[in-house]
Amino acid sequence: MAALIEIAGLTKRFGGFTAVDDVSFRLDKGEVLGFLGPNGAGKTTTMRMLAGFVTPSAGTAAIAGHDVMEAPVAARRVLGFLPEGAPTYPEMTVIGFLRFVARIRGYAGAALARRVEDAVGLTQLESVRLQTVETLSKGFKRRVGLAQALLHDPPVLVLDEPTDGLDPNQKHEVRTLIRRMAPEKAIVISTHLLEEVDAVCTRAIIIAAGRVVADDTPAGLAARDPDGRLEEVFRAITVPASLKRAA
Amino acid sequence: MRAALIIARRELDGYFATPVAYVFIVIFLVLQGTLTFNAGDFFGRGQADLVPFFNFLPWVFLLLVPAISMRLWAEERRLGTIELLLTLPVTEGQAVVGKFLAAWAFCIIALALTFPFVITVNILGSPDNGVIACGYLGGVLISGAFLAVGAATSAMTKNQVIAFVLGVAISFVFALSAYPVVTDFLDRNLPVLAEIARGFSVIERFQYFAQGLIRVPDLVFFASFIGFWLFVNAVVVDHSKAG
């Protein structure tokens, strides 16, 4: 079976600065990849290239066999993407916004209503459905962004910090949701929370200074530290790479 | 086209979800009314036509239309929603066209709300309503031309004020290009360019419509002018992705 996400030699240079440097990986159905790295390591840029929002300087990325440069619309159809900061239109209501996304994704009539209701149910937005997005708390805004990404039940999900700004209960719910969807999809999440990797990911990639410095299972990574602490492993791997770039 | 229309509808709803739409319409009608009745001496002329109305229309549009287009892309870039919009299954072309159509529909609504002028002249006399209809068609086209310029400048920045000022400035060049201040200068120094500059004057072309003349070259000009600036818009949006 073809991989749902296939990235080969992906590179992004901004002027003389290399934000993402020759990143390659592939992800199959059933995998949840935790994308880790310090701020500025290139996580968001990599995800943007995967979603077709940033044009790569070199390399290729494909989603379910659709090259993001050659067939961008086909690739985006099978992708659910939560951009960094979960941006949404502030003057729209939650339902109005989700209906807009559903229409763009080609739904109409009863199918559209069902998709929107499913997404609202999955992300527990019932209580705020008629509120405008600008009046919502950070956690609700994040869930609106998540609802938008899940709406069309895509085989591939790319979520940039899906639990940022959520309280511990909401974090737990989102992780439960990701675990429940995992067997049917290929999911990439970026996060700063190492406990999240333990909680939901089947695999973790650590990038530092734009390069992949580790690609392993969470257990495999933890085993690199004598005490089995992921935090120590993260520091040991990423600090030298960041220093190297600074120099 | 379907995706473009969905985007257009969202965008148009967005105008009316904020006070922007109402402020714009009120200012536009007040300005247009004051200029037509007072500065244009609508009643004193003793003629049943809308000549003063159409004389002022392009200048009012020049000032106000970039205020409609300035938010189209600058706002999306400031809020980060452009990342959401452009990662939905739509092409950049569809997004560019959809946003332009929404702004254009809004201008047409504002223009349609000047209907009391038409009623007034029809009560006071018997104007040539064909000429008036032509003038309105010209108004729709010139607003589209200014909007296309403004949409492109909006894509160049995340600051709406910069988008507005750039939009007015570029539109002003095209508005003024048939006026003596430009043509006399060119006639003296670069006679070759004088004729070309005159051809690019959106206001001179608009005046043919206001006189009741629908000329194919003018229709082609406005279509190409709008098409060119939408193309610029798409190029700028695409360039912003390359970082």
Side-chain angles (χ1 to χ4, degrees):
Chain A
M1 195 189 79
L4 282 176
I5 295 179
E6 196 150 17
I7 288 181
L10 208 58
T11 301
K12 181 65 191 179
R13 283 182 288 271
F14 296 104
F17 176 77
T18 306
V20 176
D21 191 0
D22 196 21
V23 168
S24 304
F25 63 84
R26 40 182 295 157
L27 207 64
D28 291 312
K29 187 166 138 178
E31 286 192 278
V32 181
L33 173 67
F35 214 46
L36 301 169
N39 284 329
K43 303 187 294 287
T44 294
T45 305
T46 304
M47 290 175 133
R48 282 179 173 168
M49 285 193 276
L50 196 50
F53 181 65
V54 165
T55 312
S57 307
T60 57
I63 296 168
H66 305 288
D67 188 285
V68 299
M69 298 294 294
E70 306 293 321
V73 174
R76 287 175 208 157
R77 241 180 229 126
V78 289
L79 169 72
F81 179 54
L82 175 70
E84 184 187 31
T88 39
Y89 296 104
E91 78 281 0
M92 296 184 92
T93 63
V94 170
I95 286 291
F97 173 68
L98 293 177
R99 290 180 64 86
F100 162 70
V101 174
R103 270 197 290 271
I104 285 273
R105 293 214 175 266
Y107 296 106
L112 181 144
R114 202 181 61 243
R115 287 290 177 184
V116 170
E117 285 316 310
D118 284 355
V120 164
L122 279 174
T123 49
Q124 293 158 322
L125 288 167
E126 287 92 348
S127 59
V128 296
R129 44 191 300 145
L130 294 177
Q131 265 176 260
T132 55
V133 171
E134 63 194 339
T135 64
L136 298 180
S137 68
K138 202 175 170 196
F140 271 120
K141 277 183 190 159
R142 181 81 31 168
R143 283 191 273 164
V144 174
L146 205 54
Q148 161 276 127
L150 301 175
L151 188 117
H152 52 302
D153 193 22
V156 178
L157 275 176
V158 175
L159 311 173
D160 201 346
E161 303 197 341
T163 59
D164 187 44
L166 302 185
D167 67 35
N169 296 334
Q170 294 165 338
K171 278 193 175 104
H172 176 80
E173 279 151 17
V174 169
R175 286 171 193 166
T176 309
L177 179 62
I178 291 174
R179 264 199 306 268
R180 201 165 69 223
M181 294 184 301
E184 296 306 314
K185 299 183 194 302
I187 303 175
V188 181
I189 60 170
S190 79
T191 180
H192 285 298
L193 305 170
L194 297 172
E195 90 251 19
E196 195 151 284
V197 178
D198 251 343
V200 297
C201 298
T202 60
R203 184 174 156 196
I205 285 183
I206 299 179
I207 77 169
R211 292 184 150 274
V212 174
V213 288
D215 183 351
D216 208 337
T217 60
L221 276 180
R224 296 185 190 188
D225 180 64
D227 299 327
R229 286 171 55 196
L230 215 45
E231 204 174 316
E232 290 305 317
V233 180
F234 180 82
R235 278 182 53 77
I237 292 175
T238 58
V239 170
S242 305
L243 286 178
K244 203 159 67 196
R245 174 138 88 179
Chain B
M1 200 58 203
R2 193 178 158 274
L5 289 177
I6 296 167
I7 291 170
R9 196 179 138 195
R10 196 210 70 75
E11 206 67 49
L12 191 58
D13 288 348
Y15 281 116
F16 288 98
T18 59
V20 176
Y22 306 100
V23 170
F24 177 87
I25 288 176
V26 169
I27 300 280
F28 169 68
L29 294 177
V30 167
L31 206 55
Q32 190 61 29
T34 314
L35 289 172
T36 305
F37 286 122
N38 300 341
D41 197 19
F42 180 75
F43 293 113
R45 293 173 71 244
Q47 292 184 31
D49 59 29
L50 285 181
V51 168
F53 175 85
F54 287 122
N55 277 342
F56 288 113
L57 186 66
W59 299 103
V60 172
F61 270 165
L62 174 63
L63 197 65
L64 290 185
V65 159
I68 301 181
S69 54
M70 68 181 186
R71 72 189 275 276
L72 286 178
W73 293 95
E75 176 86 343
E76 296 253 8
R77 284 180 58 172
R78 194 178 61 79
L79 292 172
T81 45
I82 188 167
E83 187 170 354
L84 180 89
L85 179 68
L86 294 181
T87 53
L88 289 171
V90 295
T91 64
E92 282 149 34
Q94 288 166 335
V96 166
V97 170
K99 280 174 171 287
F100 171 75
L101 286 180
W104 209 10
F106 181 77
C107 275
I108 292 169
I109 292 170
L111 196 55
L113 288 174
T114 60
F115 70 90
F117 287 99
V118 182
I119 296 175
T120 307
V121 285
N122 272 286
I123 291 173
L124 294 175
S126 42
D128 185 340
N129 280 316
V131 172
I132 292 177
C134 275
Y136 271 99
L137 174 63
V140 168
L141 291 174
I142 201 167
S143 71
F146 290 156
L147 275 179
V149 171
T153 60
S154 177
M156 295 171 188
T157 171
K158 54 173 85 170
N159 185 320
Q160 296 198 25
V161 176
I162 295 175
F164 173 79
V165 172
L166 271 181
V168 172
I170 297 177
S171 300
F172 192 60
V173 169
F174 285 102
L176 219 57
S177 62
Y179 277 72
V181 58
V182 176
T183 49
D184 284 358
F185 173 81
L186 289 175
D187 270 334
R188 255 178 286 132
N189 301 302
L190 280 166
V192 193
L193 281 182
E195 216 28 60
I196 297 174
R198 206 166 281 130
F200 274 106
S201 171
V202 286
I203 292 203
E204 190 170 270
R205 291 183 187 274
F206 166 77
Q207 277 158 356
Y208 287 112
F209 286 96
Q211 292 159 14
L213 292 172
I214 300 181
R215 307 190 314 163
V216 173
D218 298 334
L219 290 174
V220 172
F221 170 79
F222 276 113
S224 331
F225 189 87
I226 292 170
F228 171 77
W229 284 102
L230 292 185
F231 174 72
V232 171
N233 189 344
V235 169
V236 173
V237 170
D238 193 54
H239 182 74
S240 70
K241 288 167 56 170

